Amino acid sequence: MNKTVVNFAIMSLLLGMGFAARPLMTDDCATMMKGALGAEIGYDSNRTLAYVLKNSPRENIECSLSYNLPTGTSFALDQVEFGTKVALVDPGEEGIGFTGISKYNHSTKALTLTVVASKTGKQYCIHANVGYVPSQAASLLGAIEYSASEDMEIVGELARTNLDWAGLVGGRYHFNKQMTFDFGFTIPVASGAPASTTLVGLSIEI
């Protein structure tokens, strides 16, 4: 499989899975309501499972615990990632917001710092991320979400991680306010690249 596809899928699961609204790895400015709990599970065609637990202990602050498990392997603590998300400026219904995110990967001992900007409209949201990891090139991510109906959203993304560019198209279906199904297809930005990676997932918030 093309290296760009593999890198993008891994980054989606490891670096972006803590806060990004699935199937995107681009983060947004939103945080859960105070006291809320969230859980996510995702699977991709590289046979990797991703688990995320979220909690909002205070208003505009969200914490996450993420875990990545390739199929056929056993639990290993070094795959765990911890994250904290702080909303700095609320974008409101139609405005621009800013959020700061820090993530610590237990395996690499690396701290990732990300600045997030979001622009909201009546039927769309646009997000931009700039992430920094020591000894690595800065990650640049951008995404757009379009509300096709009350229950359905279409999403698109372009991201650069480790100097590799890749895209994603997908969507979300909201069964209700607590449960959402998502799907996505990664698209390597390179000529003659093989078929995209498929991602599916389920998110629950209480």
Side-chain angles (χ1 to χ4, degrees):
M1 181 174 290
N2 184 277
K3 180 182 177 182
T4 302
V5 180
V6 175
N7 285 344
F8 185 80
I10 293 174
M11 292 293 287
S12 295
L13 291 168
L14 290 177
L15 294 186
M17 68 181 182
F19 294 109
R22 292 190 50 86
L24 299 174
M25 60 186 277
T26 303
D27 289 298
D28 57 36
C29 285
T31 57
M32 296 188 301
M33 295 181 60
K34 180 181 178 180
L37 296 174
E40 299 176 1
I41 183 170
Y43 180 79
D44 73 9
S45 54
N46 291 321
R47 302 180 65 188
T48 299
L49 285 166
Y51 305 90
V52 182
L53 295 177
K54 299 180 181 180
N55 174 246
S56 182
R58 297 180 58 184
E59 196 73 27
N60 298 325
I61 296 179
E62 188 173 311
C63 300
S64 74
L65 175 65
S66 307
Y67 184 73
N68 174 59
L69 181 65
T71 302
T73 61
S74 57
F75 178 86
L77 184 61
D78 62 4
Q79 296 293 334
V80 174
E81 184 180 74
F82 306 91
T84 303
K85 181 177 184 179
V86 180
L88 306 174
V89 179
D90 187 350
E93 293 185 1
E94 293 186 52
I96 299 176
F98 294 92
T99 293
I101 296 175
S102 64
K103 299 175 185 175
Y104 177 76
N105 188 290
H106 191 277
S107 175
T108 62
K109 311 300 181 185
L111 179 66
T112 304
L113 302 176
T114 304
V115 176
V116 180
S118 294
K119 171 67 174 73
T120 60
K122 290 183 178 180
Q123 285 187 278
Y124 71 90
C125 292
I126 300 174
H127 312 292
N129 293 186
V130 178
Y132 171 75
V133 180
S135 303
Q136 294 186 23
S139 60
L140 305 173
L141 304 95
I144 184 168
E145 302 172 292
Y146 176 74
S147 180
S149 68
E150 184 176 344
D151 301 321
M152 186 73 184
E153 296 165 1
I154 305 299
V155 302
E157 177 175 63
L158 182 64
R160 188 193 77 169
T161 56
N162 291 332
L163 300 180
D164 288 323
W165 285 94
L168 179 144
V169 293
R172 304 188 194 101
Y173 180 78
H174 302 279
F175 295 107
N176 49 49
K177 292 183 178 180
Q178 288 77 38
M179 184 177 296
T180 301
F181 169 78
D182 66 82
F183 61 92
F185 308 92
T186 61
I187 305 172
V189 183
S191 60
S196 63
T197 302
T198 302
L199 304 93
V200 293
L202 187 67
S203 303
I204 300 173
E205 182 177 333
I206 56 175

